[in-house]
Amino acid sequence: MKAKASRTRKTESPRTESAPRVPSQRPGPEGGRRDVNRKERVKALADAALVLFLERGLDLVTIDDITQACGVAKGTFYRYFDDKSALVEALLAPVRQTMLEGLEACGKKLENARDVETMFEAYRELGALLAGAVLTHAGTVRLYLQESRGPAAGARAKIVELSKIMAKHAIEITRKAHTHGLLRPIRPEVSALSVVGAVEKLLLAVLSEEEVGNPLEIPELLTTLILDGLRRPDAG
């Protein structure tokens, strides 16, 4: 009997480490009580963290600060997020998706733009989409604008990564606008990054409640200002 037991133990599979936990996984069926509770707790943690991030900056906020502000135990945080970086990534996710989808859609329209009005329309739609993202996720957009110029370390790494992706897309869509001779012969890297910098500064002013006029009029005014300055005088 002892020999049999020994053989049985030898044939057992070695214990392996479990796969990294994904915070977005749903416990229980979608819409069920456990799923609803998870979403509420994740939102409460994210909301509390965002307020602190905007007040103090990413580097000065700890997980203890977040859980204390949320009124939960530290272990609750780790049930849903692996670390502070994962929480920042979760905050960025909807904004990242909206921004990148808008830039890609604008790029596709500019590929087929043969006249100034079509080019304007592509940029107007992009401006309206980004304005919607600002209204819907104002705090997250402000966090992105405040932190995107910092070093790509720790919880800020995902924000800096998104900033670089945004710049790359901006340069690419500017190249597409150049394809049909609609813009002045300025290097796309120069004009695109200049525009991105100006737009980000204006958005930060809006979100910081500086006096810049009616925010709802900004996308149209900005599109007109930028493209009137960049388009070729003889472009039809």
Side-chain angles (χ1 to χ4, degrees):
M1 292 294 291
K2 290 182 179 179
K4 183 177 181 181
S6 177
R7 285 194 299 270
T8 301
R9 282 194 296 269
K10 288 180 180 179
T11 58
E12 288 176 351
S13 299
R15 188 175 181 179
T16 58
E17 294 184 5
S18 59
R21 176 176 50 79
V22 179
S24 60
Q25 286 180 334
R26 296 189 302 271
E30 184 174 4
R33 172 49 54 189
R34 294 180 65 196
D35 182 47
V36 170
N37 288 342
R38 179 195 67 84
K39 290 177 179 176
E40 290 176 350
R41 288 171 186 151
V42 167
K43 184 178 185 304
L45 286 164
D47 289 347
L50 183 57
V51 170
L52 293 172
F53 291 155
L54 292 175
E55 288 178 351
R56 306 180 192 174
L58 282 174
D59 291 340
L60 297 182
V61 177
T62 67
I63 291 173
D64 282 329
D65 293 331
I66 295 168
T67 55
Q68 288 174 14
C70 193
V72 299
K74 193 171 181 178
T76 300
F77 179 94
Y78 289 110
R79 288 183 61 190
Y80 304 106
F81 302 103
D82 289 331
D83 50 27
K84 193 167 66 172
S85 296
L87 189 152
V88 170
E89 187 172 6
L91 281 170
L92 279 181
V95 173
R96 177 189 179 104
Q97 181 177 353
T98 299
M99 287 180 170
L100 295 184
E101 286 178 354
L103 286 166
E104 289 173 2
C106 181
K108 289 178 181 179
K109 290 196 173 186
L110 287 174
E111 284 181 337
N112 300 315
R114 298 295 191 278
D115 56 74
V116 170
E117 184 52 40
T118 303
M119 180 178 68
F120 266 65
E121 186 58 32
Y123 280 106
R124 283 193 195 102
E125 290 182 8
L126 174 60
L129 185 144
L130 296 181
V134 170
L135 291 173
T136 306
H137 305 286
T140 302
V141 173
R142 182 177 173 184
L143 177 66
Y144 166 81
L145 295 171
Q146 289 182 186
E147 299 284 347
S148 60
R149 296 295 182 264
R156 191 183 294 104
K158 288 296 180 181
I159 293 179
V160 176
E161 176 190 354
L162 178 57
S163 177
K164 291 179 179 179
I165 293 172
M166 291 282 290
K168 182 178 179 181
H169 275 276
I171 293 169
E172 184 60 29
I173 65 175
T174 303
R175 285 200 181 103
K176 291 177 179 177
H178 273 285
T179 300
H180 307 298
L182 300 177
L183 299 182
R184 295 176 187 271
I186 302 171
R187 284 181 61 85
E189 294 83 357
V190 174
S191 58
L193 295 182
S194 297
V195 168
V196 168
V199 170
E200 289 186 348
K201 185 173 183 179
L202 180 58
L203 285 178
L204 186 56
V206 171
L207 294 171
S208 299
E209 299 183 353
E210 296 180 22
E211 183 53 52
V212 293
N214 185 354
L216 298 178
E217 296 176 354
I218 287 178
E220 180 68 22
L221 293 174
L222 193 57
T223 299
T224 301
L225 178 65
I226 291 170
L227 293 184
D228 277 350
L230 291 178
R231 71 170 174 170
R232 289 179 48 172
D234 58 343

